[in-house]
Amino acid sequence: VNPVRSNTNFDSLVKNLENNPDLYQLAYRLLIEGETLQYNVHDPLINHGLQYGIFRNGQGLSVHNRIYAEVISNYMASKLATSGKGPMAEIAAPYLLPGNALNLEKLLLRFQEYMRGEYSKKDRDFVERNGRLVFLAFLKPILNGKGYAFKEPEISEERRLDVAITFYQHRYVAELKVWRGDAAHLSGLAQLADYLDRQGLDEGYLVVFDHTNTKTWKNGWTEAPGGKRVFAVWV
């Protein structure tokens, strides 16, 4: 099943979210903000989502399946783009490497450039609320049905990975974090390195949303535990 194509099941899924703002917001918290929420069938809003087939009891409250998660995140990213607050559509060609691989370093540098140019201080509240969705909206046109970006559902809260990216046969790990100081950053690098090790990957990527008053706009490769390499950008 291709989640970027329309069918009656997907249309119904989107319609139910569009017609229920509270349900939309709950799905947003799960998929975009990466919250871990308790499953409780007696909660009226959760029960409503269960009746529509949107949620299930996974490790806490979860979107019913990965395809639904992709459909919903695509829909949310598209809404952002059409609102005029989302990024302009990028194409894959500038970021392609031989063998249909993606140059994630170049892609993240372009995202940093975009964020630096487009979001001024007056947009700070918007970015703080929607930074992850802005990144997904930036990424979706580049993947364009040849790959997917999704939140991994099987990772505990302590080792949460925000985004796994597939493109043709290639797989990448990109973690999205809010800057909370050096200690939290080092802890996050260790968690990312551990996940990379379990996935058999030597390199990973990190987008740090820096909401302090003095943004550094840093970028570069850094060594993570276990000999892993991580390319990070601050936005």
Side-chain angles (χ1 to χ4, degrees), residues 39-79:
Y39 176 88
N40 186 342
V41 69
H42 301 298
D43 182 299
L45 187 57
I46 291 175
N47 190 268
H48 200 185
L50 291 171
Q51 292 177 22
Y52 285 139
I54 298 171
F55 302 133
R56 67 179 176 89
N57 184 9
Q59 293 181 340
L61 183 65
S62 303
V63 173
H64 192 271
N65 56 55
R66 183 167 287 176
I67 292 176
Y68 277 19
E70 179 70 14
V71 170
I72 294 169
S73 61
N74 273 334
Y75 149 64
M76 291 178 173
S78 178
K79 278 176 67 76

Side-chain angles (χ1 to χ4, degrees), residues 191-234:
Q191 293 172 10
L192 178 54
D194 178 67
Y195 185 76
L196 290 171
D197 190 57
R198 287 184 282 122
Q199 293 297 310
L201 297 173
D202 294 322
E203 296 179 348
Y205 300 86
L206 180 63
V207 180
V208 181
F209 291 93
D210 183 0
H211 300 318
T212 62
N213 290 323
T214 54
K215 287 180 179 287
T216 63
W217 300 104
K218 294 188 297 183
N219 63 71
W221 287 95
T222 187
E223 292 293 324
K228 306 300 180 183
R229 299 178 71 237
V230 174
F231 183 77
V233 297
W234 274 252

Side-chain angles (χ1 to χ4, degrees), residues 3 11 18 35 89 97 123 183 187 215 227:
D11 292 345
E18 191 70 23
E35 286 192 37
L97 294 171
D123 295 309
S187 175
K215 287 180 179 287

Side-chain angles (χ1 to χ4, degrees), residues 158-177:
E158 293 76 21
R159 302 187 179 193
R160 190 178 70 228
L161 170 71
D162 287 322
V163 179
I165 300 166
T166 63
F167 190 74
Y168 288 100
Q169 73 272 28
H170 304 284
R171 180 180 175 87
Y172 309 91
V173 170
E175 191 168 359
L176 313 183
K177 292 281 189 183

Side-chain angles (χ1 to χ4, degrees), residues 1-230:
V1 180
N2 189 334
V4 301
R5 294 182 179 176
S6 179
N7 65 38
T8 55
N9 192 17
F10 296 164
D11 292 345
S12 177
L13 180 67
V14 168
K15 181 180 177 180
N16 288 329
L17 288 171
E18 191 70 23
N19 292 337
N20 295 271
D22 290 341
L23 204 56
Y24 177 99
Q25 188 58 33
L26 183 56
Y28 186 98
R29 290 168 63 192
L30 285 172
L31 285 176
I32 308 302
E33 296 180 353
E35 286 192 37
T36 301
L37 300 173
Q38 182 179 359
Y39 176 88
N40 186 342
V41 69
H42 301 298
D43 182 299
L45 187 57
I46 291 175
N47 190 268
H48 200 185
L50 291 171
Q51 292 177 22
Y52 285 139
I54 298 171
F55 302 133
R56 67 179 176 89
N57 184 9
Q59 293 181 340
L61 183 65
S62 303
V63 173
H64 192 271
N65 56 55
R66 183 167 287 176
I67 292 176
Y68 277 19
E70 179 70 14
V71 170
I72 294 169
S73 61
N74 273 334
Y75 149 64
M76 291 178 173
S78 178
K79 278 176 67 76
L80 179 67
T82 56
S83 74
K85 286 195 170 186
M88 297 293 290
E90 295 273 335
I91 60 173
Y95 311 106
L96 284 179
L97 294 171
N100 288 323
L102 275 179
N103 187 333
L104 260 291
E105 177 181 346
K106 185 176 181 180
L107 191 153
L108 291 189
L109 287 172
R110 175 67 185 102
F111 179 67
Q112 184 188 55
E113 178 188 354
Y114 166 76
M115 293 291 282
R116 190 168 191 171
E118 293 296 324
Y119 290 109
S120 64
K121 289 182 179 179
K122 68 179 180 181
D123 295 309
R124 179 172 175 172
D125 288 344
F126 173 81
V127 173
E128 287 187 10
R129 294 192 310 271
N130 300 286
R132 295 182 182 197
L133 186 58
V134 172
F135 178 73
L136 288 175
F138 178 87
L139 194 58
K140 296 293 184 183
I142 297 170
L143 300 180
N144 193 29
K146 300 175 179 64
Y148 303 106
F150 48 86
K151 178 182 177 293
E152 281 285 2
E154 302 301 332
I155 299 173
S156 68
E157 184 176 1
E158 293 76 21
R159 302 187 179 193
R160 190 178 70 228
L161 170 71
D162 287 322
V163 179
I165 300 166
T166 63
F167 190 74
Y168 288 100
Q169 73 272 28
H170 304 284
R171 180 180 175 87
Y172 309 91
V173 170
E175 191 168 359
L176 313 183
K177 292 281 189 183
V178 175
W179 176 254
R180 302 195 188 281
D182 290 328
H185 180 65
L186 291 175
S187 175
L189 281 177
Q191 293 172 10
L192 178 54
D194 178 67
Y195 185 76
L196 290 171
D197 190 57
R198 287 184 282 122
Q199 293 297 310
L201 297 173
D202 294 322
E203 296 179 348
Y205 300 86
L206 180 63
V207 180
V208 181
F209 291 93
D210 183 0
H211 300 318
T212 62
N213 290 323
T214 54
K215 287 180 179 287
T216 63
W217 300 104
K218 294 188 297 183
N219 63 71
W221 287 95
T222 187
E223 292 293 324
K228 306 300 180 183
R229 299 178 71 237
V230 174

